């Protein structure tokens, strides 16, 4: 019974060694982009597009916007 356990263990070790040798023989994979850098780039693109949209709104609203409030005042209702 003990011999059988040793034979099974040696077989497992041989298979593990074969996997390790196969992995070592493979060429290294291409480097993966830094996920933080990708997130920073996406954030910057979002900021840029948001700023452009706000600039377009400012152009459309023109002088109707009170720069001190940074929002247009509510129109007065007729009495």
């Amino acid at each position: 019974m003990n011999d059988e356990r040793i034979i099974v263990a040696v077989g497992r070790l041989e298979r593990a060694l074969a996997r390790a040798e196969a992995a070592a023989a493979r060429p290294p994979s291409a480097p993966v982009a830094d996920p933080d850098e990708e997130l920073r780039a996406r954030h910057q693109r979002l900021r840029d597009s948001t700023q452009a949209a706000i600039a377009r709104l400012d152009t459309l609203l023109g002088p109707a916007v009170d720069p001190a409030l940074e929002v247009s005042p509510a129109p007065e209702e007729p009495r």
Side-chain angles (χ1 to χ4, degrees), residues 2-57:
N2 252 350
D3 290 341
E4 186 178 326
R5 288 178 55 189
I6 292 173
I7 292 170
V8 169
V10 169
R12 290 178 64 195
L13 286 170
E14 288 175 342
R15 288 190 300 278
L17 181 59
R19 288 193 305 272
E21 288 173 343
R26 285 192 296 264
S29 61
V32 178
D34 179 15
D36 290 339
E37 184 60 36
E38 181 180 336
L39 183 60
R40 279 190 285 275
R42 289 177 58 201
H43 181 255
Q44 188 59 49
R45 286 192 305 270
L46 179 60
R47 285 180 59 99
D48 293 345
S49 64
T50 302
Q51 288 175 342
I54 290 172
R56 284 194 303 269
L57 285 172

